[in-house]
C-alpha cells in the first residue's frame, strides 16, 4: 500500500473525521460498576460518566466504537481523551492517570486503525484529541472578583504537556486541539505541544485546531471574533483550522464562510447533529447533517468534515458517501 501524508491526501480529496464518542458510549447504557471494573471497584468517588476512564476499564468498547466509525468511512478517528489532562481529571481525583489514559487511548485507536488498514488496504489516521479543560484562563469564575483565575497559564501548559506526551508515545498520527472556547487555553496547548517536540527532539506531528462558536453572535465564549481567534493561533501553522460543537451544520455555515476568507490552511467542520431538543438529545437525521455539509462542499468551503455531539456511524456514513462526490478546493 502506498502511504501518503495527511497533507498530500488533503490535496486529492475531502477527508472525513469521525463522529461523537460520547453519543456512542451512551448507547451502551453503562452502569457505575461498568465504569469502575475491577481496578477501580473501591474508588472513593462516583465515576459514572467519566468516559475517558473507559479506555482503561472497558477498552473493547472504545475500540469497537473506533472500528464502527472507520467502517462508516472515517479517515481520521479521535482518541477518547477529551478530558484526559490532570485539570479535568481532578473532578474524579484521578490526576495521576493523565499520561496513562492518553497513552492507552492512543494505543487503542492505533490498533483499530492498523486492523482496519490490514483488512481494507485504506490508510487511516489517529488524531490525539485535546479538549479545552473545564477551566478558563480568560474569564473569572467569580463574578465578584474579575481578576481571579482558578488556574494559571503555566499549570495549563504542564497539564497539556503530559497529555501530549501520552498521545504521541501511544501512537497518535496527528494532534487536534478542539472545542476551543477560550483561545488562551488553546495557546497553552500549542505552547505545550511545541515544548514537547522541542524537548524530545522529534519532528512535530500535524496539528488540527477547531474552535467553538457559542451562538449566532459569531464569537467564542470568551468573546473573540473568528478573525481574532485565527490571528491568535496562526503562528502554530496548523494543517487545518475549523469549527466543531455548539451548533449544527445549518447554523455553522456563515462562520465557515468567514473562516475560509482568512485562513491560510485547510478548513474543517464537524457540527453537532443539529441543535439539542428539550431533553438535550439530538434529532437531526444523517441525511440532513450530510445535506448541510454538502452545501459547504459545493461552495468549496471545507476540506475536512465529520460530526460532533449527537452524530453516529450512520451520520458519518452519509457524510462520507456524499463527500466522495467532491474534490477539495
Amino acid at each position: 500500500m502506498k502511504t501518503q501524508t495527511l497533507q498530500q491526501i488533503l490535496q486529492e480529496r475531502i477527508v472525513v473525521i469521525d463522529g461523537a464518542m460520547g453519543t456512542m458510549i451512551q448507547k451502551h447504557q453503562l452502569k457505575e460498576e461498568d465504569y469502575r471494573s475491577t481496578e477501580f471497584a473501591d474508588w472513593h468517588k462516583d465515576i459514572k460518566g467519566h468516559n475517558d476512564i473507559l479506555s482503561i476499564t472497558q477498552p473493547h468498547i472504545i475500540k469497537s466504537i473506533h472500528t464502527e466509525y472507520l467502517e462508516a468511512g472515517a479517515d481520521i478517528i479521535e482518541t477518547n481523551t477529551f478530558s484526559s489532562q490532570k485539570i479535568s481529571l481532578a473532578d474524579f481525583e484521578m490526576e495521576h492517570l493523565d499520561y496513562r489514559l492518553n497513552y492507552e487511548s492512543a494505543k487503542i485507536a492505533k490498533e483499530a486503525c492498523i486492523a482496519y488498514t490490514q483488512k481494507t488496504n485504506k490508510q487511516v489516521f489517529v488524531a490525539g484529541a485535546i479538549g479545552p479543560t473545564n477551566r478558563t484562563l480568560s474569564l473569572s469564575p467569580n463574578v465578584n472578583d474579575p481578576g481571579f483565575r482558578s488556574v494559571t497559564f503555566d499549570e495549563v501548559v504542564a497539564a497539556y504537556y503530559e497529555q501530549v506526551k501520552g498521545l504521541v508515545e501511544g501512537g497518535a498520527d496527528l494532534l487536534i486541539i478542539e472545542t476551543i472556547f477560550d483561545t488562551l487555553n488553546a495557546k497553552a496547548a500549542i505552547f505545550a505541544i511545541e515544548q514537547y517536540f522541542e524537548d524530545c527532539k522529534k519532528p512535530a506531528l500535524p496539528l488540527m485546531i477547531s474552535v467553538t462558536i457559542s451562538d449566532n453572535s459569531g464569537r467564542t465564549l470568551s468573546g473573540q471574533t473568528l478573525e481574532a481567534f485565527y490571528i491568535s493561533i496562526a503562528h502554530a501553522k496548523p494543517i487545518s483550522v475549523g469549527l466543531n460543537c455548539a451548533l449544527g451544520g445549518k447554523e455553522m455555515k456563515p462562520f465557515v464562510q468567514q473562516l475560509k476568507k482568512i485562513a491560510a490552511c485547510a478548513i474543517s467542520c464537524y457540527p453537532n447533529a443539529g441543535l439539542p431538543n428539550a431533553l438535550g438529545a439530538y434529532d437531526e437525521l444523517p441525511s440532513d447533517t450530510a445535506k448541510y455539509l454538502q452545501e459547504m462542499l459545493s461552495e468549496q468551503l471545507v476540506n475536512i468534515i465529520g460530526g460532533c455531539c449527537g452524530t453516529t456511524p450512520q451520520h458519518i456514513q452519509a457524510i462520507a458517501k456524499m463527500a466522495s462526490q467532491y474534490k477539495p478546493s
Side-chain angles (χ1 to χ4, degrees), residues 128-188:
I130 300 171
T133 84
N134 54 5
R135 300 188 191 181
T136 171
L137 286 166
S138 295
L139 301 171
S140 172
N142 184 351
V143 294
N144 297 313
D145 186 359
F148 174 74
R149 297 293 183 271
S150 58
V151 69
T152 68
F153 185 85
D154 288 347
E155 287 171 339
V156 177
V157 169
Y160 278 136
Y161 187 100
E162 198 67 14
Q163 179 170 33
V164 171
K165 186 174 187 286
L167 289 170
V168 174
E169 294 181 3
D173 302 302
L174 61 141
L175 299 171
I176 178 167
I177 306 171
E178 64 172 353
T179 322
I180 297 166
F181 62 83
D182 182 346
T183 308
L184 193 53
N185 285 47
K187 289 173 78 70

Side-chain angles (χ1 to χ4, degrees), residues 62-72 77 111-113 115-116 119:
I62 302 305
K63 189 173 183 179
S64 70
I65 293 171
H66 287 319
T67 301
E68 284 189 68
Y69 278 123
L70 290 169
E71 291 177 345
I77 56 170
E111 288 172 353
C113 282
Y116 180 76
K119 179 180 175 182

Side-chain angles (χ1 to χ4, degrees), residues 8-258:
Q8 290 170 328
I9 293 173
L10 283 167
Q11 302 302 313
E12 298 178 0
R13 61 182 176 86
I14 304 300
V15 170
V16 177
I17 196 167
D18 62 4
M21 174 62 73
T23 298
M24 295 299 291
I25 289 173
Q26 287 173 8
K27 291 180 183 294
H28 287 268
Q29 298 183 324
L30 300 176
K31 299 176 181 179
E32 177 71 28
E33 53 265 35
D34 298 315
Y35 279 86
R36 290 174 176 266
S37 191
T38 305
E39 182 170 350
F40 301 101
D42 298 321
W43 196 251
H44 57 281
K45 299 195 73 170
D46 289 346
I47 60 174
K48 182 181 178 182
H50 180 13
N51 288 344
D52 293 13
I53 200 67
L54 297 173
S55 293
I56 293 175
T57 60
Q58 302 290 341
H60 62 287
I61 291 178
I62 302 305
K63 189 173 183 179
S64 70
I65 293 171
H66 287 319
T67 301
E68 284 189 68
Y69 278 123
L70 290 169
E71 291 177 345
D75 300 294
I76 299 171
I77 56 170
E78 292 190 56
T79 55
N80 181 40
T81 54
F82 188 78
S83 300
S84 292
Q85 28 61 34
K86 55 171 54 85
I87 293 171
S88 297
L89 290 171
D91 286 351
F92 302 96
E93 298 182 17
M94 289 183 165
E95 298 96 319
H96 64 289
L97 295 175
D98 55 349
Y99 174 86
R100 183 181 170 193
L101 277 171
N102 287 284
Y103 180 88
E104 293 298 335
S105 294
K107 181 182 175 185
I108 291 166
K110 192 68 174 180
E111 288 172 353
C113 282
I114 290 172
Y116 180 76
T117 296
Q118 289 175 341
K119 179 180 175 182
T120 65
N121 212 36
K122 177 187 175 183
Q123 186 179 1
V124 287
F125 300 88
V126 174
I130 300 171
T133 84
N134 54 5
R135 300 188 191 181
T136 171
L137 286 166
S138 295
L139 301 171
S140 172
N142 184 351
V143 294
N144 297 313
D145 186 359
F148 174 74
R149 297 293 183 271
S150 58
V151 69
T152 68
F153 185 85
D154 288 347
E155 287 171 339
V156 177
V157 169
Y160 278 136
Y161 187 100
E162 198 67 14
Q163 179 170 33
V164 171
K165 186 174 187 286
L167 289 170
V168 174
E169 294 181 3
D173 302 302
L174 61 141
L175 299 171
I176 178 167
I177 306 171
E178 64 172 353
T179 322
I180 297 166
F181 62 83
D182 182 346
T183 308
L184 193 53
N185 285 47
K187 289 173 78 70
I190 291 168
F191 185 83
I193 291 168
E194 293 176 344
Q195 190 66 55
Y196 170 77
F197 285 112
E198 182 179 327
D199 288 349
C200 67
K201 296 178 173 55
K202 294 180 181 178
L205 295 181
L207 175 64
M208 297 175 63
I209 295 178
S210 186
V211 67
T212 292
I213 297 300
S214 55
D215 55 38
N216 287 328
S217 69
R219 291 176 180 267
T220 64
L221 187 64
S222 56
Q224 270 195 316
T225 63
L226 265 178
E227 183 176 14
F229 164 77
Y230 178 71
I231 291 170
S232 298
I233 57 87
H235 68 281
K237 296 182 172 55
I239 192 171
S240 70
V241 65
L243 296 101
N244 78 290
C245 208
L247 303 173
K250 183 178 181 180
E251 294 79 20
M252 272 190 187
K253 185 179 176 183
F255 307 124
V256 174
Q257 289 172 321
Q258 287 181 35

